[in-house]
Amino acid sequence: MKKRCFPVLILLLFSSCASNERKQAEAQSFIDAYTTEYLELYTASSEAQWASNTKIVEGDTTNAHLVQVTGEAFANFTGSKENIERARKLLETKSDLTGLQVKQLNKILYTAANNPATVSDVVKARIKAENAQTEKLFGFDFQLNGKSVSTNEIDAVLKDETDLAKRQAAWESSKEVGKGLKTGLTSLRELRNKTVQALGYKDFFSYQVSDYGLNTDEMMALIQKINGELRPLYRELHTYARYELAKKYHVQEVPEYLPAHWLPNRWAQDWSAMVSVRGMNTDSVLKTKPAAWIVTDAADFYKSIGYPELPASFWKKSSLYPAPANAGYKKNNHASAWHMDLDKDVRSLMSVEPNSEWYETANHELGHIFYYMTYTNKDVPPLLREGANRAYHEAMGSLMGLAAAQKPFLENKGLIAKGTRTDEIQALLKEALNYVVFIPFSAGTMTEFEKELYAGNLPQDQYNRKWWELAKKYQGIVPPADRGEIYCDAASKTHINDDAAQYYDYALSYVILFQLHDHIAKEILHQDPKATNYYGNKAVGDFLRKIMYPGASKDWNMVLKENTGSELTAKPMLDYFEPLMKWLKVQNKGRKYTLPETI
Ligand code: X8Z
Ligand code: ZN
């Protein structure tokens, strides 16, 4: 017995090793062939999408045609029966494969589920409906007082205007676009659901959520937990804003809920423009700069922490500034970053003007760009060139945006005079009106609405009622006047149309951002998280690059744990705003709170 044991064991080991090698070689040759074709089709489709988002000409169908053709080619390949079967087959013996191979095969199946050949007519119709919706959204002619206006101009009114009638007109103008998008959204819901259902997903929402390795209930629980943890602080901010804005607009009776047009953002997702911190009025400096400075300065910040120069093609091919009013074309007015070929071609689409909002956004977009550039390396196969999860991708640039607005950084950059005295609580308040206020919008209104839409099949004649019910519940916001079902206010938000069922990414990204920032401040810079200066610090860059480098080839929970020592937690975010909470409670003493303490 014993005698035979050895040779048998060796033989077994040997043969299983040989079979491992064979299986791995087989998987690799499939993955390699798939990748080659994938890259070609992905790039062609990106180019078509890029053109159709940067040059929208009314009546011109060239872009739409190209988007359709390249989109269908990409879908036919990625959703083909053959690719699905081969990936599934190889995964049947996944213990024989490397971790990286398993991840790539899963990615192949995940992409297939959005494009199954078995329902190719549905996929075709979806591509068409998606492009039509984007063209309608960004080709829309916003009108204010009988004149065409850009969304930048509407935003400027909502930021600065104190006359409530004028504010309401601008706010209402910004929502007009939704009317024409309502039926398109319903078709998209059907088409998106039907596509992913063909490969066994319950609905499009659960499909998108599954990218995190979570099911819908788990994601909702996670997001609700975050929302619940930030609720006490939001409730203070909400109370404070009602009273302060009533004062500002000379309204005698403080409203129970905030009228949407009182707030300096079309969706009430960021109220930071409400507060101007004396001594830290960066807007007054920024507006003296050319728009290009905003982008080059953000790039300079990344460079200072050890990121490379942006490639010349970035500057040449990006679309960074608003289309001139008389250009004869419109462009997508929402900021985005593109990895065109999953290799060196990186671009950004923005409408930069010299102000603090675009300064923050430029930092945000470059976070995506440098993430792309960092995980484009020999160790990360093209199919895994994505963030650790989608929220990480959003977190990086937002983190840099936060860092680029802190006082020591601004002093160092000469954006405010050295030694300027500022009120720390006001600065913290301004930050909370951005980062904290965003949570009930992202984790509440947006996520709950899209869950109802996709998983709950919300009837079309209830879209607006549901939207405002959620806005009231989570954000404590009400519309200035009745918004019947002729409107579709949800559809005025870009992501509802073209980045569907993913908005919880941003809520999670803010939580991650504060975890990373806390770690950087305390462990690397040894500075107060509320007053940091990342500029020029290579160790900060090394830390971020270590997270970025593996892309999606590592488990996202592990990435966080390994780099910050903890799992996903809102604690650093809550700690950050602790002093503000105390201050707000004093300010709000004797005021009437209208939001329930718990959601
Ligand atoms: O959509 C974005 C980015 C896209 S790359 C500009 N953000 C969310 C939004 O504008 O609604 C960034 C934060 C929230
Ligand atoms: Zn982003």
Side-chain angles (χ1 to χ4, degrees):
M1 213 27 209
K2 240 182 185 171
K3 251 185 181 168
R4 283 185 52 202
C5 192
F6 252 108
V8 167
L9 195 66
I10 288 170
L11 200 74
L12 271 175
L13 273 174
F14 179 76
S15 66
S16 84
C17 188
S19 117
N20 266 3
E21 268 175 28
R22 207 168 5 90
K23 288 258 169 60
Q24 288 178 10
E26 192 191 328
Q28 200 53 48
S29 89
F30 168 65
I31 291 169
D32 288 346
Y34 177 96
T35 301
T36 305
E37 187 141 3
Y38 179 91
L39 286 177
E40 205 170 294
L41 296 166
Y42 180 92
T43 307
S45 166
S46 304
E47 285 287 0
Q49 296 272 6
W50 175 264
S52 94
N53 276 277
T54 49
K55 218 161 239 179
I56 304 167
V57 181
E58 213 185 331
D60 186 342
T61 56
T62 328
N63 281 340
H65 179 71
L66 255 181
V67 166
Q68 192 69 25
V69 172
T70 55
E72 282 180 21
F74 178 79
N76 285 340
F77 174 72
T78 54
S80 77
K81 213 169 141 242
E82 199 199 353
N83 279 330
I84 294 172
E85 276 170 8
R86 287 209 58 192
R88 275 189 179 156
K89 184 94 198 124
L90 287 162
L91 280 169
E92 274 171 16
T93 51
K94 62 170 139 202
S95 55
D96 291 336
L97 306 177
T98 68
L100 215 52
Q101 288 177 329
V102 172
K103 278 201 183 314
Q104 290 175 88
L105 292 169
N106 281 331
K107 174 72 205 295
I108 290 171
L109 287 181
Y110 184 74
T111 309
N114 205 23
N115 302 305
T118 46
V119 291
S120 63
D121 286 349
V122 178
V123 174
K124 270 187 205 166
R126 191 202 66 217
I127 296 170
K128 192 161 183 186
E130 276 179 340
N131 195 46
Q133 191 83 344
T134 307
E135 286 195 346
K136 258 194 206 160
L137 173 63
F138 296 114
F140 187 76
D141 185 29
F142 291 92
Q143 298 268 328
L144 190 53
N145 308 321
K147 272 197 357 221
S148 294
V149 284
S150 67
T151 46
N152 272 343
E153 286 168 307
I154 292 177
D155 292 345
V157 175
L158 292 179
K159 198 170 148 183
D160 300 323
E161 181 57 61
T162 52
D163 179 325
L164 280 178
K166 289 183 184 161
R167 297 187 62 87
Q168 183 166 344
W171 184 88
E172 284 172 349
S173 149
S174 80
K175 301 295 157 192
E176 280 297 296
V177 62
K179 285 181 183 167
L181 296 167
K182 190 166 193 166
T183 55
L185 182 59
T186 302
S187 311
L188 280 170
R189 181 255 305 271
E190 313 296 344
L191 295 165
R192 284 169 176 155
N193 275 348
K194 270 193 193 153
T195 326
V196 297
Q197 279 160 357
L199 275 196
Y201 287 91
K202 263 199 230 139
D203 54 75
F204 193 69
F205 191 87
S206 76
Y207 169 70
Q208 289 294 349
V209 165
S210 75
D211 206 14
Y212 284 80
L214 300 177
N215 65 33
T216 297
D217 288 346
E218 289 164 341
M219 178 57 88
M220 295 314 284
L222 178 61
I223 225 80
Q224 279 157 6
K225 181 166 181 278
I226 290 167
N227 220 350
E229 285 174 335
L230 283 150
R231 179 70 166 193
L233 181 51
Y234 184 69
R235 189 164 168 263
E236 296 296 335
L237 290 165
H238 181 264
T239 308
Y240 180 80
R242 280 168 40 238
Y243 282 83
E244 296 302 314
L245 289 176
K247 238 188 278 168
K248 177 173 170 182
Y249 300 132
H250 306 292
V251 173
Q252 298 304 323
E253 202 178 319
V254 177
E256 302 244 307
Y257 293 91
L258 278 162
H261 67 297
W262 282 26
L263 295 161
N265 171 280
R266 280 175 269 159
W267 305 278
Q269 70 183 67
D270 173 2
W271 310 349
S272 55
M274 256 177 73
V275 169
S276 174
V277 184
R278 208 188 303 179
M280 288 236 305
N281 186 1
T282 44
D283 256 325
S284 65
V285 183
L286 293 176
K287 75 173 185 225
T288 66
K289 309 270 186 193
W293 184 90
I294 300 286
V295 190
T296 51
D297 192 68
D300 173 65
F301 180 22
Y302 282 86
K303 199 178 153 199
S304 84
I305 61 169
Y307 281 94
E309 230 31 276
L310 287 163
S313 62
F314 171 86
W315 298 108
K316 203 166 139 222
K317 295 187 167 178
S318 288
S319 172
L320 299 173
Y321 310 104
N326 58 359
Y329 67 86
K330 289 194 183 293
K331 60 181 262 192
N332 183 328
N333 52 45
H334 192 80
S336 53
W338 301 55
H339 198 184
M340 300 295 294
D341 56 355
L342 298 179
D343 192 13
K344 301 280 185 294
D345 190 350
V346 292
R347 305 179 198 171
S348 177
L349 165 47
M350 293 193 266
S351 295
V352 175
E353 288 185 342
N355 61 40
S356 51
E357 282 74 27
W358 279 110
Y359 185 62
E360 184 188 351
T361 301
N363 274 292
H364 175 95
E365 296 311 326
L366 290 191
H368 290 303
I369 299 289
F370 286 109
Y371 211 150
Y372 298 149
M373 289 166 62
T374 309
Y375 59 52
T376 299
N377 64 58
K378 62 172 179 28
D379 297 319
V380 182
L383 298 183
L384 300 180
R385 290 183 185 163
E386 287 182 347
N389 63 30
R390 296 193 308 255
Y392 279 75
H393 230 300
E394 298 303 334
M396 293 301 175
S398 290
L399 169 67
M400 294 290 277
L402 173 123
Q406 291 197 331
K407 189 176 158 190
F409 177 93
L410 294 170
E411 283 178 322
N412 174 70
K413 272 255 149 180
L415 287 172
I416 60 174
K418 281 220 160 73
T420 308
R421 289 177 75 90
T422 54
D423 182 333
E424 280 166 31
I425 283 291
Q426 285 299 304
L428 203 53
L429 173 63
K430 191 174 175 72
E431 287 176 320
L433 292 171
N434 182 353
Y435 300 99
V436 177
V437 157
F438 183 69
I439 297 297
F441 174 69
S442 53
T445 311
M446 282 291 280
T447 297
E448 296 282 352
F449 180 82
E450 290 199 290
K451 182 178 161 259
E452 289 291 332
L453 185 67
Y454 292 100
N457 266 315
L458 183 68
Q460 188 185 272
D461 62 5
Q462 292 177 30
Y463 287 0
N464 235 32
R465 188 178 66 70
K466 179 53 86 179
W467 177 256
W468 287 107
E469 176 192 311
L470 295 168
K472 187 170 180 182
K473 177 175 170 188
Y474 289 101
Q475 299 173 270
I477 308 285
V478 291
D482 186 43
R483 307 287 295 172
E485 291 298 333
I486 181 185
Y487 299 105
C488 184
D489 294 324
S492 70
K493 183 74 193 158
T494 307
H495 307 65
I496 293 284
N497 304 289
D498 72 4
D499 201 30
Q502 298 166 57
Y503 209 79
Y504 41 83
D505 294 356
Y506 296 105
L508 296 172
S509 82
Y510 279 21
V511 172
I512 294 173
L513 172 172
F514 277 95
Q515 284 188 258
L516 299 180
H517 179 69
D518 192 67
H519 180 89
I520 290 171
K522 292 181 184 154
E523 308 297 328
I524 301 176
L525 297 172
H526 308 289
Q527 295 170 2
D528 173 2
K530 294 178 202 55
T532 63
N533 178 19
Y534 291 15
Y535 194 87
N537 193 298
K538 302 283 190 289
V540 172
D542 289 341
F543 173 75
L544 296 178
R545 278 186 294 279
K546 189 163 163 247
I547 296 173
M548 289 178 170
Y549 186 89
S553 66
K554 268 189 145 177
D555 174 75
W556 67 264
N557 278 301
M558 250 158 61
V559 172
L560 206 54
K561 186 97 212 222
E562 274 174 23
N563 287 289
T564 66
S566 29
E567 321 237 309
L568 191 77
T569 164
K571 189 171 182 299
M573 188 167 181
L574 290 167
D575 287 351
Y576 190 94
F577 292 110
E578 238 286 290
L580 180 68
M581 183 74 184
K582 288 202 191 99
W583 182 84
L584 282 168
K585 278 193 175 150
V586 174
Q587 304 305 305
N588 288 334
K589 219 176 182 133
R591 289 174 171 174
K592 183 176 166 198
Y593 290 76
T594 53
L595 282 190
E597 272 174 78
T598 54
I599 308 165

